[in-house]
Structure formats: structure tokens, C-alpha cells
Amino acid sequence: MPKKENKTNAMRILDRKGVAYRPRAYEAGDGKIDGISVARKLGENVGQVFKTLVTRGAGGGYFVFVVPVAKELDLKAAARSVGEKSVGMIHVSEISKVTGYIRGGCSPVGMKKQFPTVIDESCLEQSTIFVSGGRIGTQVEVAPKDLVALIGAKTAGIAEDAPEPPQE
């Protein structure tokens, strides 16, 4: 008997809304779950793999930003994109309480509440992008326009180059 596919809440939402996607699993047992490691494990271009970041605005509301894994969130551009004076990353300990997800498995699809979401405009240069499937070890490949429509996101230039990592 074939093993039943282990769908995440994010995948069930994509199914229910009729959004085409492709689930992709990667080995997470080595603890290397940062975005660049995930892109390498999937054998995909890092420009196509996006991470989901949750922030709190100066007014107290939460905002979600989705940026390429090799980039960092430009906090000033992010704040401008949502009409806030400033935004700051929430503490790791708050992620589960706010989103229902854990660090490393936070998907822009299926959070406890749909927060205002901005995806870096570079997503529009790709036919598909990868975002967390809602669990460590799982990504979903989806057309950016479908993701934007599904979660009511907007796109803006919110990513900046990350500093060079120290040489080992």
C-alpha cells in the first residue's frame, strides 16, 4: 500500500484554493536549515528560494516579508512598503505564538492570521519560487503570481545584499 502523502497545512490550503504547486522535501537532520543550505539541498538557484520573515511595526501590528534566501530584509524599505514608521524582526520565541509555525518552517501560507505580506519584487523575474511548506524539511514550488494572489500580498523592493560571510 502506498504511503499516504504527509501534507502540511500550507499544502492543504494550496489544494483547497486550487493553486498549482510542487512539494519538495530536503534532509534536515544535519541541522543545516538556513535558506542557502536548503537551496543547495534542493539543487535550485538561490534566487528562486525565499525565506519568510515576521516583523512588528512601530504601531504594534505584525507584517510578513518574503525575500530571497541570499539577501537580507531592508528594514527601511520594508517599513515604507507597509506604510509604517519602522519595522523590527520579532524574537524567535514569538514566532510560534504569532504565526503557528516554528523557526525554519514558517510559510507565508496558512499562518494563524493572514498578516499584511510583501514579497520582494525579484520574485516576478522567476517562473516559480520556493517557500517553506510549513515544516522544516519541506518547501513548496509555486508561481509567484499565484502566491501573491492567494495570500493577498504585494511586491516591492525590500531585499538588500547580505554582508559577505567570514571565510572559514
Side-chain angles (χ1 to χ4, degrees):
M1 186 174 213
K3 190 176 117 185
K4 185 178 182 295
E5 189 174 349
N6 195 357
K7 293 209 174 190
T8 64
N9 190 42
M11 291 177 198
R12 286 188 287 276
I13 291 168
L14 290 163
D15 286 341
R16 194 167 54 243
K17 298 293 185 178
V19 175
Y21 70 95
R22 185 167 68 126
R24 297 285 300 276
Y26 63 91
E27 177 53 50
D30 62 4
K32 293 182 180 176
I33 60 168
D34 65 279
I36 292 174
S37 295
V38 169
R40 287 184 184 132
K41 289 176 182 186
L42 293 174
E44 299 295 343
N45 174 343
V46 294
Q48 268 185 282
V49 181
F50 283 64
K51 58 188 170 186
T52 304
L53 306 170
V54 183
T55 66
R56 183 179 295 111
Y62 294 102
F63 299 92
V64 176
F65 297 98
V66 183
V67 299
V69 295
K71 303 269 186 175
E72 289 188 351
L73 181 62
D74 177 335
L75 292 172
K76 286 184 167 87
R80 278 193 305 275
S81 75
V82 294
E84 282 284 315
K85 188 175 180 174
S86 64
V87 296
M89 300 298 295
I90 66 170
H91 192 274
V92 172
S93 64
E94 294 179 87
I95 291 173
S96 182
K97 184 178 68 155
V98 172
T99 69
Y101 289 123
I102 62 168
R103 180 182 177 275
C106 191
S107 177
V109 178
M111 289 188 183
K112 286 182 177 179
K113 180 176 183 246
Q114 187 59 60
F115 299 108
T117 302
V118 180
I119 304 173
D120 186 65
E121 63 193 6
S122 66
C123 73
L124 301 173
E125 299 164 13
Q126 309 292 339
S127 57
T128 61
I129 62 170
F130 296 83
V131 295
S132 174
R135 174 174 54 225
I136 292 173
T138 305
Q139 294 274 300
V140 291
E141 181 180 11
V142 63
K145 63 180 178 26
D146 292 344
L147 180 62
V148 166
L150 174 68
I151 61 176
K154 68 181 192 176
T155 59
I158 56 169
E160 62 184 358
D161 288 335
E164 287 295 314
Q167 297 299 314
E168 292 181 19

mmCIF file of all heavy atoms in Angstrom, residues 20-69:
data_model
loop_
_atom_site.group_PDB
_atom_site.id
_atom_site.type_symbol
_atom_site.label_atom_id
_atom_site.label_comp_id
_atom_site.label_asym_id
_atom_site.label_seq_id
_atom_site.Cartn_x
_atom_site.Cartn_y
_atom_site.Cartn_z
ATOM 1 N N ALA A 20 -1.697 25.632 -8.109
ATOM 2 C CA ALA A 20 -0.725 24.610 -8.520
ATOM 3 C C ALA A 20 0.580 24.812 -7.750
ATOM 4 O O ALA A 20 1.067 25.938 -7.628
ATOM 5 C CB ALA A 20 -0.464 24.710 -10.022
ATOM 6 N N TYR A 21 1.128 23.722 -7.235
ATOM 7 C CA TYR A 21 2.404 23.773 -6.532
ATOM 8 C C TYR A 21 3.049 22.410 -6.622
ATOM 9 O O TYR A 21 2.407 21.418 -6.962
ATOM 10 C CB TYR A 21 2.215 24.174 -5.060
ATOM 11 C CG TYR A 21 1.552 23.108 -4.214
ATOM 12 C CD1 TYR A 21 2.318 22.208 -3.466
ATOM 13 C CD2 TYR A 21 0.176 22.968 -4.193
ATOM 14 C CE1 TYR A 21 1.716 21.208 -2.699
ATOM 15 C CE2 TYR A 21 -0.432 21.978 -3.428
ATOM 16 C CZ TYR A 21 0.342 21.111 -2.693
ATOM 17 O OH TYR A 21 -0.249 20.121 -1.955
ATOM 18 N N ARG A 22 4.333 22.387 -6.309
ATOM 19 C CA ARG A 22 5.052 21.120 -6.262
ATOM 20 C C ARG A 22 5.755 21.038 -4.918
ATOM 21 O O ARG A 22 6.588 21.888 -4.595
ATOM 22 C CB ARG A 22 6.075 21.068 -7.408
ATOM 23 C CG ARG A 22 6.790 19.727 -7.509
ATOM 24 C CD ARG A 22 7.551 19.601 -8.819
ATOM 25 N NE ARG A 22 8.670 20.507 -8.882
ATOM 26 C CZ ARG A 22 9.929 20.134 -9.138
ATOM 27 N NH1 ARG A 22 10.222 18.874 -9.347
ATOM 28 N NH2 ARG A 22 10.887 21.024 -9.190
ATOM 29 N N PRO A 23 5.411 20.017 -4.099
ATOM 30 C CA PRO A 23 6.102 19.875 -2.814
ATOM 31 C C PRO A 23 7.517 19.353 -3.032
ATOM 32 O O PRO A 23 7.757 18.544 -3.920
ATOM 33 C CB PRO A 23 5.251 18.847 -2.058
ATOM 34 C CG PRO A 23 4.537 18.071 -3.120
ATOM 35 C CD PRO A 23 4.395 18.992 -4.303
ATOM 36 N N ARG A 24 8.446 19.852 -2.241
ATOM 37 C CA ARG A 24 9.835 19.409 -2.324
ATOM 38 C C ARG A 24 10.336 19.172 -0.910
ATOM 39 O O ARG A 24 10.207 20.039 -0.054
ATOM 40 C CB ARG A 24 10.703 20.477 -3.003
ATOM 41 C CG ARG A 24 10.346 20.789 -4.446
ATOM 42 C CD ARG A 24 10.792 19.704 -5.430
ATOM 43 N NE ARG A 24 12.218 19.481 -5.428
ATOM 44 C CZ ARG A 24 13.105 20.198 -6.124
ATOM 45 N NH1 ARG A 24 12.705 21.176 -6.891
ATOM 46 N NH2 ARG A 24 14.390 19.916 -6.045
ATOM 47 N N ALA A 25 10.904 18.006 -0.695
ATOM 48 C CA ALA A 25 11.454 17.670 0.623
ATOM 49 C C ALA A 25 12.972 17.755 0.575
ATOM 50 O O ALA A 25 13.586 17.546 -0.473
ATOM 51 C CB ALA A 25 11.018 16.256 1.021
ATOM 52 N N TYR A 26 13.566 18.089 1.704
ATOM 53 C CA TYR A 26 15.022 18.090 1.825
ATOM 54 C C TYR A 26 15.379 17.504 3.181
ATOM 55 O O TYR A 26 14.579 17.521 4.115
ATOM 56 C CB TYR A 26 15.609 19.496 1.645
ATOM 57 C CG TYR A 26 15.176 20.498 2.688
ATOM 58 C CD1 TYR A 26 15.913 20.686 3.855
ATOM 59 C CD2 TYR A 26 14.028 21.261 2.508
ATOM 60 C CE1 TYR A 26 15.509 21.599 4.819
ATOM 61 C CE2 TYR A 26 13.613 22.173 3.466
ATOM 62 C CZ TYR A 26 14.361 22.335 4.614
ATOM 63 O OH TYR A 26 13.958 23.232 5.574
ATOM 64 N N GLU A 27 16.573 16.974 3.278
ATOM 65 C CA GLU A 27 17.053 16.364 4.516
ATOM 66 C C GLU A 27 17.427 17.477 5.505
ATOM 67 O O GLU A 27 18.260 18.327 5.202
ATOM 68 C CB GLU A 27 18.266 15.480 4.230
ATOM 69 C CG GLU A 27 18.884 14.851 5.456
ATOM 70 C CD GLU A 27 17.879 14.096 6.318
ATOM 71 O OE1 GLU A 27 17.130 13.273 5.784
ATOM 72 O OE2 GLU A 27 17.857 14.364 7.541
ATOM 73 N N ALA A 28 16.802 17.461 6.677
ATOM 74 C CA ALA A 28 17.053 18.497 7.669
ATOM 75 C C ALA A 28 17.781 17.964 8.894
ATOM 76 O O ALA A 28 18.114 18.723 9.795
ATOM 77 C CB ALA A 28 15.731 19.134 8.097
ATOM 78 N N GLY A 29 18.062 16.667 8.912
ATOM 79 C CA GLY A 29 18.675 16.036 10.072
ATOM 80 C C GLY A 29 20.052 16.554 10.420
ATOM 81 O O GLY A 29 20.499 16.436 11.562
ATOM 82 N N ASP A 30 20.734 17.173 9.444
ATOM 83 C CA ASP A 30 22.072 17.699 9.716
ATOM 84 C C ASP A 30 22.025 19.073 10.375
ATOM 85 O O ASP A 30 23.053 19.654 10.699
ATOM 86 C CB ASP A 30 22.907 17.746 8.434
ATOM 87 C CG ASP A 30 22.321 18.665 7.357
ATOM 88 O OD1 ASP A 30 21.286 19.338 7.606
ATOM 89 O OD2 ASP A 30 22.898 18.708 6.255
ATOM 90 N N GLY A 31 20.810 19.618 10.549
ATOM 91 C CA GLY A 31 20.659 20.919 11.190
ATOM 92 C C GLY A 31 20.897 22.104 10.268
ATOM 93 O O GLY A 31 20.700 23.247 10.661
ATOM 94 N N LYS A 32 21.305 21.841 9.040
ATOM 95 C CA LYS A 32 21.550 22.931 8.088
ATOM 96 C C LYS A 32 20.238 23.275 7.395
ATOM 97 O O LYS A 32 19.910 22.717 6.345
ATOM 98 C CB LYS A 32 22.624 22.527 7.077
ATOM 99 C CG LYS A 32 23.982 22.358 7.714
ATOM 100 C CD LYS A 32 25.041 22.012 6.700
ATOM 101 C CE LYS A 32 26.386 21.864 7.410
ATOM 102 N NZ LYS A 32 27.434 21.440 6.512
ATOM 103 N N ILE A 33 19.483 24.181 8.024
ATOM 104 C CA ILE A 33 18.167 24.544 7.505
ATOM 105 C C ILE A 33 18.109 26.013 7.076
ATOM 106 O O ILE A 33 17.032 26.522 6.779
ATOM 107 C CB ILE A 33 17.052 24.238 8.531
ATOM 108 C CG1 ILE A 33 17.263 25.015 9.834
ATOM 109 C CG2 ILE A 33 16.957 22.734 8.777
ATOM 110 C CD1 ILE A 33 16.080 24.994 10.783
ATOM 111 N N ASP A 34 19.268 26.675 7.049
ATOM 112 C CA ASP A 34 19.281 28.046 6.546
ATOM 113 C C ASP A 34 18.938 27.999 5.053
ATOM 114 O O ASP A 34 19.105 26.974 4.392
ATOM 115 C CB ASP A 34 20.646 28.695 6.779
ATOM 116 C CG ASP A 34 21.726 27.997 5.983
ATOM 117 O OD1 ASP A 34 22.219 26.941 6.445
ATOM 118 O OD2 ASP A 34 22.059 28.476 4.883
ATOM 119 N N GLY A 35 18.454 29.095 4.538
ATOM 120 C CA GLY A 35 17.959 29.142 3.169
ATOM 121 C C GLY A 35 18.953 28.734 2.103
ATOM 122 O O GLY A 35 18.603 28.040 1.143
ATOM 123 N N ILE A 36 20.203 29.163 2.239
ATOM 124 C CA ILE A 36 21.209 28.823 1.224
ATOM 125 C C ILE A 36 21.474 27.325 1.242
ATOM 126 O O ILE A 36 21.560 26.691 0.192
ATOM 127 C CB ILE A 36 22.480 29.670 1.408
ATOM 128 C CG1 ILE A 36 22.154 31.139 1.087
ATOM 129 C CG2 ILE A 36 23.616 29.148 0.525
ATOM 130 C CD1 ILE A 36 23.252 32.124 1.357
ATOM 131 N N SER A 37 21.546 26.729 2.430
ATOM 132 C CA SER A 37 21.724 25.277 2.531
ATOM 133 C C SER A 37 20.533 24.549 1.915
ATOM 134 O O SER A 37 20.698 23.552 1.212
ATOM 135 C CB SER A 37 21.889 24.849 3.987
ATOM 136 O OG SER A 37 23.083 25.371 4.525
ATOM 137 N N VAL A 38 19.328 25.053 2.161
ATOM 138 C CA VAL A 38 18.122 24.432 1.596
ATOM 139 C C VAL A 38 18.163 24.498 0.073
ATOM 140 O O VAL A 38 17.883 23.507 -0.612
ATOM 141 C CB VAL A 38 16.841 25.098 2.160
ATOM 142 C CG1 VAL A 38 15.603 24.646 1.391
ATOM 143 C CG2 VAL A 38 16.695 24.787 3.639
ATOM 144 N N ALA A 39 18.523 25.662 -0.479
ATOM 145 C CA ALA A 39 18.608 25.793 -1.942
ATOM 146 C C ALA A 39 19.593 24.784 -2.516
ATOM 147 O O ALA A 39 19.307 24.128 -3.528
ATOM 148 C CB ALA A 39 19.018 27.221 -2.315
ATOM 149 N N ARG A 40 20.736 24.634 -1.857
ATOM 150 C CA ARG A 40 21.742 23.669 -2.321
ATOM 151 C C ARG A 40 21.212 22.244 -2.251
ATOM 152 O O ARG A 40 21.407 21.451 -3.163
ATOM 153 C CB ARG A 40 23.020 23.795 -1.506
ATOM 154 C CG ARG A 40 23.806 25.045 -1.838
ATOM 155 C CD ARG A 40 25.133 25.107 -1.092
ATOM 156 N NE ARG A 40 25.809 26.346 -1.371
ATOM 157 C CZ ARG A 40 26.346 27.127 -0.446
ATOM 158 N NH1 ARG A 40 26.330 26.776 0.832
ATOM 159 N NH2 ARG A 40 26.941 28.248 -0.788
ATOM 160 N N LYS A 41 20.541 21.913 -1.138
ATOM 161 C CA LYS A 41 19.993 20.559 -0.980
ATOM 162 C C LYS A 41 18.942 20.255 -2.052
ATOM 163 O O LYS A 41 18.816 19.120 -2.493
ATOM 164 C CB LYS A 41 19.391 20.387 0.414
ATOM 165 C CG LYS A 41 20.430 20.327 1.505
ATOM 166 C CD LYS A 41 19.775 20.256 2.870
ATOM 167 C CE LYS A 41 20.808 20.255 3.982
ATOM 168 N NZ LYS A 41 20.194 20.048 5.301
ATOM 169 N N LEU A 42 18.191 21.278 -2.440
ATOM 170 C CA LEU A 42 17.168 21.095 -3.472
ATOM 171 C C LEU A 42 17.775 21.138 -4.873
ATOM 172 O O LEU A 42 17.094 20.804 -5.844
ATOM 173 C CB LEU A 42 16.092 22.185 -3.362
ATOM 174 C CG LEU A 42 15.212 22.170 -2.122
ATOM 175 C CD1 LEU A 42 14.314 23.401 -2.097
ATOM 176 C CD2 LEU A 42 14.376 20.901 -2.065
ATOM 177 N N GLY A 43 19.038 21.600 -4.972
ATOM 178 C CA GLY A 43 19.670 21.754 -6.281
ATOM 179 C C GLY A 43 19.052 22.896 -7.072
ATOM 180 O O GLY A 43 18.969 22.843 -8.304
ATOM 181 N N GLU A 44 18.601 23.924 -6.375
ATOM 182 C CA GLU A 44 17.924 25.052 -7.020
ATOM 183 C C GLU A 44 18.732 26.338 -6.881
ATOM 184 O O GLU A 44 19.543 26.487 -5.984
ATOM 185 C CB GLU A 44 16.531 25.258 -6.409
ATOM 186 C CG GLU A 44 15.591 24.080 -6.572
ATOM 187 C CD GLU A 44 15.203 23.777 -8.013
ATOM 188 O OE1 GLU A 44 15.387 24.647 -8.886
ATOM 189 O OE2 GLU A 44 14.721 22.659 -8.261
ATOM 190 N N ASN A 45 18.461 27.268 -7.772
ATOM 191 C CA ASN A 45 19.072 28.588 -7.786
ATOM 192 C C ASN A 45 18.657 29.334 -6.510
ATOM 193 O O ASN A 45 17.469 29.408 -6.208
ATOM 194 C CB ASN A 45 18.568 29.320 -9.042
ATOM 195 C CG ASN A 45 19.003 30.753 -9.126
ATOM 196 O OD1 ASN A 45 19.430 31.368 -8.156
ATOM 197 N ND2 ASN A 45 18.892 31.310 -10.304
ATOM 198 N N VAL A 46 19.628 29.896 -5.782
ATOM 199 C CA VAL A 46 19.289 30.615 -4.547
ATOM 200 C C VAL A 46 18.369 31.802 -4.801
ATOM 201 O O VAL A 46 17.635 32.208 -3.907
ATOM 202 C CB VAL A 46 20.537 31.076 -3.739
ATOM 203 C CG1 VAL A 46 21.308 29.892 -3.208
ATOM 204 C CG2 VAL A 46 21.411 31.993 -4.529
ATOM 205 N N GLY A 47 18.366 32.336 -6.015
ATOM 206 C CA GLY A 47 17.475 33.452 -6.345
ATOM 207 C C GLY A 47 16.011 33.047 -6.421
ATOM 208 O O GLY A 47 15.124 33.900 -6.438
ATOM 209 N N GLN A 48 15.759 31.735 -6.459
ATOM 210 C CA GLN A 48 14.383 31.229 -6.523
ATOM 211 C C GLN A 48 13.864 30.788 -5.159
ATOM 212 O O GLN A 48 12.674 30.523 -5.020
ATOM 213 C CB GLN A 48 14.319 30.001 -7.440
ATOM 214 C CG GLN A 48 13.998 30.310 -8.873
ATOM 215 C CD GLN A 48 13.840 29.007 -9.632
ATOM 216 O OE1 GLN A 48 14.822 28.368 -9.983
ATOM 217 N NE2 GLN A 48 12.609 28.624 -9.877
ATOM 218 N N VAL A 49 14.741 30.663 -4.181
ATOM 219 C CA VAL A 49 14.341 30.159 -2.866
ATOM 220 C C VAL A 49 14.201 31.362 -1.923
ATOM 221 O O VAL A 49 15.126 32.157 -1.768
ATOM 222 C CB VAL A 49 15.360 29.130 -2.331
ATOM 223 C CG1 VAL A 49 14.921 28.588 -0.977
ATOM 224 C CG2 VAL A 49 15.541 27.985 -3.341
ATOM 225 N N PHE A 50 13.011 31.463 -1.317
ATOM 226 C CA PHE A 50 12.675 32.630 -0.498
ATOM 227 C C PHE A 50 12.433 32.225 0.951
ATOM 228 O O PHE A 50 11.970 31.134 1.228
ATOM 229 C CB PHE A 50 11.410 33.313 -1.054
ATOM 230 C CG PHE A 50 11.664 34.141 -2.293
ATOM 231 C CD1 PHE A 50 12.093 33.557 -3.471
ATOM 232 C CD2 PHE A 50 11.472 35.515 -2.273
ATOM 233 C CE1 PHE A 50 12.336 34.317 -4.615
ATOM 234 C CE2 PHE A 50 11.708 36.283 -3.404
ATOM 235 C CZ PHE A 50 12.138 35.686 -4.579
ATOM 236 N N LYS A 51 12.777 33.160 1.852
ATOM 237 C CA LYS A 51 12.538 32.940 3.280
ATOM 238 C C LYS A 51 11.430 33.881 3.739
ATOM 239 O O LYS A 51 11.247 34.958 3.181
ATOM 240 C CB LYS A 51 13.809 33.139 4.089
ATOM 241 C CG LYS A 51 14.461 34.517 3.955
ATOM 242 C CD LYS A 51 15.816 34.566 4.629
ATOM 243 C CE LYS A 51 16.562 35.852 4.294
ATOM 244 N NZ LYS A 51 17.937 35.838 4.823
ATOM 245 N N THR A 52 10.732 33.465 4.779
ATOM 246 C CA THR A 52 9.609 34.218 5.325
ATOM 247 C C THR A 52 10.026 34.828 6.656
ATOM 248 O O THR A 52 10.464 34.108 7.552
ATOM 249 C CB THR A 52 8.394 33.279 5.522
ATOM 250 O OG1 THR A 52 8.088 32.660 4.270
ATOM 251 C CG2 THR A 52 7.184 34.037 6.039
ATOM 252 N N LEU A 53 9.920 36.134 6.749
ATOM 253 C CA LEU A 53 10.339 36.866 7.938
ATOM 254 C C LEU A 53 9.152 37.606 8.538
ATOM 255 O O LEU A 53 8.354 38.201 7.808
ATOM 256 C CB LEU A 53 11.445 37.869 7.571
ATOM 257 C CG LEU A 53 12.657 37.259 6.851
ATOM 258 C CD1 LEU A 53 13.565 38.350 6.322
ATOM 259 C CD2 LEU A 53 13.414 36.333 7.794
ATOM 260 N N VAL A 54 9.038 37.585 9.852
ATOM 261 C CA VAL A 54 7.916 38.221 10.525
ATOM 262 C C VAL A 54 8.443 39.390 11.357
ATOM 263 O O VAL A 54 9.418 39.252 12.096
ATOM 264 C CB VAL A 54 7.161 37.213 11.413
ATOM 265 C CG1 VAL A 54 5.943 37.872 12.054
ATOM 266 C CG2 VAL A 54 6.743 35.985 10.596
ATOM 267 N N THR A 55 7.769 40.525 11.218
ATOM 268 C CA THR A 55 8.189 41.744 11.902
ATOM 269 C C THR A 55 7.014 42.348 12.669
ATOM 270 O O THR A 55 5.861 42.003 12.437
ATOM 271 C CB THR A 55 8.692 42.804 10.891
ATOM 272 O OG1 THR A 55 7.594 43.219 10.074
ATOM 273 C CG2 THR A 55 9.813 42.270 10.025
ATOM 274 N N ARG A 56 7.372 43.278 13.553
ATOM 275 C CA ARG A 56 6.364 44.088 14.237
ATOM 276 C C ARG A 56 6.637 45.534 13.840
ATOM 277 O O ARG A 56 7.779 46.000 13.876
ATOM 278 C CB ARG A 56 6.454 43.933 15.749
ATOM 279 C CG ARG A 56 5.348 44.711 16.489
ATOM 280 C CD ARG A 56 5.377 44.571 18.008
ATOM 281 N NE ARG A 56 5.110 43.218 18.433
ATOM 282 C CZ ARG A 56 6.024 42.409 19.003
ATOM 283 N NH1 ARG A 56 7.255 42.803 19.198
ATOM 284 N NH2 ARG A 56 5.691 41.198 19.385
ATOM 285 N N GLY A 57 5.573 46.228 13.470
ATOM 286 C CA GLY A 57 5.698 47.628 13.095
ATOM 287 C C GLY A 57 5.674 48.539 14.301
ATOM 288 O O GLY A 57 5.313 48.123 15.410
ATOM 289 N N ALA A 58 6.055 49.795 14.076
ATOM 290 C CA ALA A 58 6.059 50.791 15.151
ATOM 291 C C ALA A 58 4.680 50.925 15.784
ATOM 292 O O ALA A 58 4.557 51.211 16.973
ATOM 293 C CB ALA A 58 6.536 52.140 14.612
ATOM 294 N N GLY A 59 3.634 50.675 14.998
ATOM 295 C CA GLY A 59 2.263 50.772 15.511
ATOM 296 C C GLY A 59 1.803 49.526 16.249
ATOM 297 O O GLY A 59 0.674 49.474 16.727
ATOM 298 N N GLY A 60 2.655 48.503 16.325
ATOM 299 C CA GLY A 60 2.325 47.291 17.074
ATOM 300 C C GLY A 60 1.798 46.142 16.226
ATOM 301 O O GLY A 60 1.680 45.026 16.714
ATOM 302 N N GLY A 61 1.467 46.386 14.972
ATOM 303 C CA GLY A 61 0.951 45.327 14.107
ATOM 304 C C GLY A 61 2.064 44.458 13.547
ATOM 305 O O GLY A 61 3.235 44.856 13.522
ATOM 306 N N TYR A 62 1.688 43.266 13.088
ATOM 307 C CA TYR A 62 2.652 42.336 12.500
ATOM 308 C C TYR A 62 2.614 42.431 10.985
ATOM 309 O O TYR A 62 1.553 42.635 10.385
ATOM 310 C CB TYR A 62 2.341 40.894 12.923
ATOM 311 C CG TYR A 62 2.532 40.663 14.403
ATOM 312 C CD1 TYR A 62 1.444 40.612 15.264
ATOM 313 C CD2 TYR A 62 3.809 40.510 14.933
ATOM 314 C CE1 TYR A 62 1.623 40.414 16.619
ATOM 315 C CE2 TYR A 62 3.996 40.306 16.291
ATOM 316 C CZ TYR A 62 2.902 40.258 17.127
ATOM 317 O OH TYR A 62 3.082 40.062 18.471
ATOM 318 N N PHE A 63 3.789 42.248 10.394
ATOM 319 C CA PHE A 63 3.933 42.269 8.938
ATOM 320 C C PHE A 63 4.852 41.131 8.536
ATOM 321 O O PHE A 63 5.814 40.817 9.245
ATOM 322 C CB PHE A 63 4.536 43.602 8.466
ATOM 323 C CG PHE A 63 3.672 44.782 8.831
ATOM 324 C CD1 PHE A 63 3.883 45.464 10.016
ATOM 325 C CD2 PHE A 63 2.641 45.175 7.999
ATOM 326 C CE1 PHE A 63 3.087 46.542 10.373
ATOM 327 C CE2 PHE A 63 1.822 46.255 8.350
ATOM 328 C CZ PHE A 63 2.050 46.937 9.536
ATOM 329 N N VAL A 64 4.551 40.529 7.393
ATOM 330 C CA VAL A 64 5.337 39.408 6.882
ATOM 331 C C VAL A 64 6.046 39.853 5.611
ATOM 332 O O VAL A 64 5.439 40.481 4.729
ATOM 333 C CB VAL A 64 4.418 38.196 6.597
ATOM 334 C CG1 VAL A 64 5.202 37.054 5.979
ATOM 335 C CG2 VAL A 64 3.728 37.751 7.883
ATOM 336 N N PHE A 65 7.331 39.512 5.526
ATOM 337 C CA PHE A 65 8.132 39.851 4.347
ATOM 338 C C PHE A 65 8.788 38.576 3.838
ATOM 339 O O PHE A 65 9.269 37.752 4.637
ATOM 340 C CB PHE A 65 9.186 40.908 4.698
ATOM 341 C CG PHE A 65 8.563 42.201 5.142
ATOM 342 C CD1 PHE A 65 8.424 42.497 6.485
ATOM 343 C CD2 PHE A 65 8.077 43.101 4.206
ATOM 344 C CE1 PHE A 65 7.822 43.675 6.909
ATOM 345 C CE2 PHE A 65 7.474 44.290 4.612
ATOM 346 C CZ PHE A 65 7.346 44.579 5.963
ATOM 347 N N VAL A 66 8.775 38.394 2.519
ATOM 348 C CA VAL A 66 9.315 37.191 1.895
ATOM 349 C C VAL A 66 10.412 37.642 0.939
ATOM 350 O O VAL A 66 10.145 38.383 -0.006
ATOM 351 C CB VAL A 66 8.193 36.414 1.167
ATOM 352 C CG1 VAL A 66 8.714 35.117 0.583
ATOM 353 C CG2 VAL A 66 7.020 36.133 2.126
ATOM 354 N N VAL A 67 11.651 37.221 1.234
ATOM 355 C CA VAL A 67 12.812 37.686 0.463
ATOM 356 C C VAL A 67 13.685 36.505 0.048
ATOM 357 O O VAL A 67 13.660 35.457 0.683
ATOM 358 C CB VAL A 67 13.652 38.710 1.271
ATOM 359 C CG1 VAL A 67 12.835 39.947 1.613
ATOM 360 C CG2 VAL A 67 14.244 38.102 2.518
ATOM 361 N N PRO A 68 14.487 36.687 -1.021
ATOM 362 C CA PRO A 68 15.402 35.609 -1.418
ATOM 363 C C PRO A 68 16.337 35.250 -0.270
ATOM 364 O O PRO A 68 16.767 36.123 0.489
ATOM 365 C CB PRO A 68 16.195 36.229 -2.584
ATOM 366 C CG PRO A 68 15.324 37.327 -3.106
ATOM 367 C CD PRO A 68 14.596 37.859 -1.896
ATOM 368 N N VAL A 69 16.648 33.951 -0.159
ATOM 369 C CA VAL A 69 17.432 33.476 0.983
ATOM 370 C C VAL A 69 18.842 34.058 1.047
ATOM 371 O O VAL A 69 19.418 34.148 2.125
ATOM 372 C CB VAL A 69 17.507 31.931 1.023
ATOM 373 C CG1 VAL A 69 16.128 31.344 1.247
ATOM 374 C CG2 VAL A 69 18.178 31.362 -0.209
#
